[in-house]
């Protein structure tokens, strides 16, 4: 097995000391990532490329190495090479035919040879000989020198022949570890996962910060996608996953902050806590998945007000992207399925959110907030190495979901009081109790444990999260009430 790895072109443009440092970092990253494959792999570098060799590698090992190369930042492209003693033109043709006979079937092609050294033939003579032989001994459609369907690349270096059988695009970007680390505020949806990936691709070692608003189930879902991103694109460097319990912060906002300003204030509180997390880990920048005007809190005016809560620089890789572009990237990198099934926690949705927040007004709303609650949330944060969370990912947090309620069962409406008042839930002959989601954890323990409770919210997301959270806390008498669309008339 022999791969030749071409580094990202921007690396070649750096000054010699910087280029040397970046290529050394990429080589070290590859050595670490390839060490777990189980064979001795030699990784060598020069000014523009890295060569990876293993004489004992079989097809499976070769495929595993290619998988690592395809997902390692800093690589422009890589080619798989089969190396032979040079021999004469007939020998060159036979080696080429062995690898290219089947791929050429029904295709137009041409042969291109790069040659270094003194030989008894020219590059054009070798191309004609090999091309004619391939046309005669394969089922190729024909030879076309301009824009063929397949180009057969060969390299002749001194007394060695390289038959190149595949060329694969890499991620590009810079080697992980070549830049300073960042702290990514991750919620598990399309935006935060893509923004994290773009940072990793640029060589930024991304640590993860999750603000838990919706209980254990949401946390596990976010850890799953964070682990996936790290394991696939950033496993050369260990990073932290930090969980900050934000339920009490959210409760304080919902109870004390004006409805129109809740989203902006929540974002400011998150940035304040994230800044303290970043400082504790000596990380100089924060990363969010915000895109201009995607939601009300992301207007330029609101983003300006949000950023004024902290001194740390906030990076927004998606700032000018459309949602469709973001989803396309998530599909390409493999996070789409995670994001599509990730619950979007809707605990803070203003009825008429402001799009032009004024800093004095925001500061006035925050003056009602007990900052000791934010300090408590930070002090209760939990930091784990990303590779140590795997054991949590198979936790069973499924809860029963029903479309109809039987007599003797209780429905708990956990919606925000504004939603409850605007559209109260009424079910004939069924005990319906009203407990806002932010008070549920405290109040549920005092309910009659002999009864079966089913949580209700408008979309069914918060109810599933909180039911799973209660189950994780040991309450097995809880499920979710999710009425069928036809039952909507029961809600008045």
């Amino acid at each position: 097995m022999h791969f030749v790895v071409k580094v990202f072109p921007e690396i070649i443009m750096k000054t010699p000391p910087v280029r040397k440092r970046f290529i050394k970092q990429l080589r070290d990253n590859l050595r670490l990532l390839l060490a777990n494959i189980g064979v001795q792999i030699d990784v060598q570098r020069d000014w523009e490329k890295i060569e990876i060799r293993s004489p004992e590698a079989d097809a499976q090992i070769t495929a595993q190495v290619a998988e690592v190369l395809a997902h390692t930042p800093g690589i422009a492209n890589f080619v798989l090479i089969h190396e032979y003693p040079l021999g004469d033109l007939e020998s060159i043709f036979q080696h080429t035919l062995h690898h290219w006979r089947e791929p050429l079937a029904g295709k137009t092609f041409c042969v291109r040879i790069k040659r270094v050294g003194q030989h008894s033939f020219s590059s054009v003579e070798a191309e004609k000989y090999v091309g004619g032989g391939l046309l005669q001994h394969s089922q190729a459609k024909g030879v076309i020198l301009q824009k063929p369907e397949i180009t057969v690349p060969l390299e002749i270096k001194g007394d060695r022949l390289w038959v190149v059988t595949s060329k694969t695009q890499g991620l590009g970007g810079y080697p992980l570890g070549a830049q300073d680390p960042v702290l990514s505020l991750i919620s598990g949806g399309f935006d935060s996962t893509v923004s994290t990936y773009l940072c990793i691709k640029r060589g930024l070692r991304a640590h993860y910060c999750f603000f838990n608003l919706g209980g254990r189930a949401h946390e596990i879902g976010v850890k799953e996608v964070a682990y996936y991103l790290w394991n696939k694109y950033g496993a050369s460097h260990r990073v932290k996953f930090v969980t900050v319990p934000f339920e009490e912060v959210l409760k304080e906002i919902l109870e004390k902050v004006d409805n129109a300003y809740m989203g902006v204030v929540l974002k400011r509180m998150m940035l304040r806590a994230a800044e303290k997390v970043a400082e504790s880990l000596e990380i100089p920048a924060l990363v969010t998945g915000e895109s201009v005007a995607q939601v009300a809190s992301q207007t330029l005016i609101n983003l300006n007000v949000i950023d004024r809560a902290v001194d740390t620089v906030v990076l927004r890789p998606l700032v000018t992207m459309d949602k469709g572009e973001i989803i396309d990237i998530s599909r390409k990198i493999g996070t789409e399925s995670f994001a599509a099934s990730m619950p979007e926690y809707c605990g803070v949705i203003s009825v008429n959110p402001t799009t032009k927040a004024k800093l004095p007004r925001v500061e006035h709303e925050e003056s009602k907030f007990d900052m000791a609650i934010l300090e408590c949330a930070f002090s209760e944060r939990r930091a784990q190495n990303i590779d140590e969370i795997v054991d949590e990912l198979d936790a069973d947090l499924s809860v029963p979901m029903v479309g109809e309620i039987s007599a003797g069962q209780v429905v708990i409406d956990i919606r925000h009081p504004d939603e409850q008042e605007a559209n109260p839930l009424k079910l004939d002959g069924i005990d319906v109790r009203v407990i806002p989601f932010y008070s549920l954890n405290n109040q549920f323990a005092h309910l009659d444990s002999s009864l079966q409770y089913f949580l209700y919210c408008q979309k069914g997301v918060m109810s599933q999260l909180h039911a799973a959270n209660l189950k994780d806390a040991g309450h097995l008498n809880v499920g979710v009430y999710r009425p069928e669309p036809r039952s909507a008339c029961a809600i008045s």
Side-chain angles (χ1 to χ4, degrees), residues 10 51 130 144 185 210 220 229 260 282 420:
E10 287 185 23
E51 294 190 34
V130 174
I144 296 181
L185 280 61
F210 169 62
I220 287 180
L229 281 170
E282 298 183 348
Q420 294 168 349

Side-chain angles (χ1 to χ4, degrees), residues 280-291:
S280 71
L281 298 174
E282 298 183 348
I283 295 173
L286 306 177
V287 175
T288 76
E290 292 160 317
S291 175

Side-chain angles (χ1 to χ4, degrees), residues 425-482:
L425 176 65
K426 297 179 181 179
L427 300 173
D428 292 339
I430 300 298
D431 183 4
V432 177
R433 306 185 189 183
V434 174
I435 304 178
F437 62 90
Y438 51 78
S439 300
L440 186 63
N441 287 343
N442 292 332
Q443 295 190 31
F444 195 87
H446 301 291
L447 299 179
D448 185 349
S449 60
S450 67
L451 298 177
Q452 186 74 22
Y453 299 93
F454 291 90
L455 309 186
Y456 169 79
C457 68
Q458 192 69 37
K459 294 183 178 181
V461 175
M462 286 199 301
S463 54
Q464 292 182 60
L465 290 173
H466 283 279
N469 193 41
L470 290 170
K471 177 182 177 182
D472 186 56
H475 302 289
L476 304 181
N477 59 331
V478 63
V480 172
Y481 172 51
R482 188 77 175 115

Side-chain angles (χ1 to χ4, degrees), residues 236-451:
S236 60
H237 289 70
R238 175 176 276 184
V239 298
K240 297 286 187 182
F241 187 100
V242 182
T243 301
V244 183
F246 240 52
E247 295 94 334
E248 292 301 316
V249 174
L250 176 59
K251 179 181 178 181
E252 184 79 355
I253 291 173
L254 290 169
E255 291 181 343
K256 295 184 178 179
V257 173
D258 182 272
N259 187 284
Y261 284 82
M262 291 193 303
V264 171
V265 171
L266 177 62
K267 292 286 186 69
R268 282 168 59 90
M269 294 300 173
M270 286 180 171
L271 285 191
R272 287 187 175 103
E275 181 177 58
K276 293 176 70 67
V277 171
E279 289 173 351
S280 71
L281 298 174
E282 298 183 348
I283 295 173
L286 306 177
V287 175
T288 76
E290 292 160 317
S291 175
V292 168
Q294 190 176 109
V295 297
S297 65
Q298 295 174 18
T299 63
L300 287 179
I301 292 174
N302 284 355
L303 290 175
N304 180 35
V305 170
I306 290 168
D307 282 2
R308 288 172 180 265
V310 296
D311 296 323
T312 304
V313 62
V314 180
L315 306 178
R316 294 184 172 91
L318 312 184
V319 69
T320 62
M321 284 191 184
D322 297 332
K323 193 68 174 183
E325 295 176 283
I326 297 168
I327 293 175
D328 286 344
I329 295 175
S330 73
R331 184 177 302 119
K332 177 182 176 182
I333 66 176
T335 61
E336 181 188 26
S337 58
F338 291 97
S341 60
M342 192 69 60
E344 182 179 352
Y345 194 83
C346 51
V348 178
I349 296 181
S350 301
V351 176
N352 294 301
T354 180
T355 59
K356 296 183 178 182
K358 303 295 185 181
L359 184 59
R361 174 62 189 277
V362 172
E363 291 175 340
H364 170 73
E365 293 298 325
E366 289 183 342
S367 67
K368 310 171 188 176
F369 188 95
D370 183 358
M371 287 297 180
I373 294 176
L374 185 65
E375 289 293 331
C376 183
F378 171 72
S379 66
E380 293 179 355
R381 72 192 184 282
R382 184 188 182 198
Q384 301 169 272
N385 291 323
I386 191 73
D387 55 331
E388 295 174 350
I389 68 174
V390 180
D391 293 340
E392 302 179 32
L393 301 185
D394 60 354
D396 179 15
L397 296 180
S398 59
V399 293
M401 184 179 299
V402 300
E404 296 182 0
I405 300 296
S406 303
Q409 296 176 332
V410 179
V411 172
I412 301 179
D413 186 347
I414 68 168
R415 293 175 297 166
H416 188 276
D418 290 347
E419 293 182 84
Q420 294 168 349
E421 182 178 352
N423 192 19
L425 176 65
K426 297 179 181 179
L427 300 173
D428 292 339
I430 300 298
D431 183 4
V432 177
R433 306 185 189 183
V434 174
I435 304 178
F437 62 90
Y438 51 78
S439 300
L440 186 63
N441 287 343
N442 292 332
Q443 295 190 31
F444 195 87
H446 301 291
L447 299 179
D448 185 349
S449 60
S450 67
L451 298 177

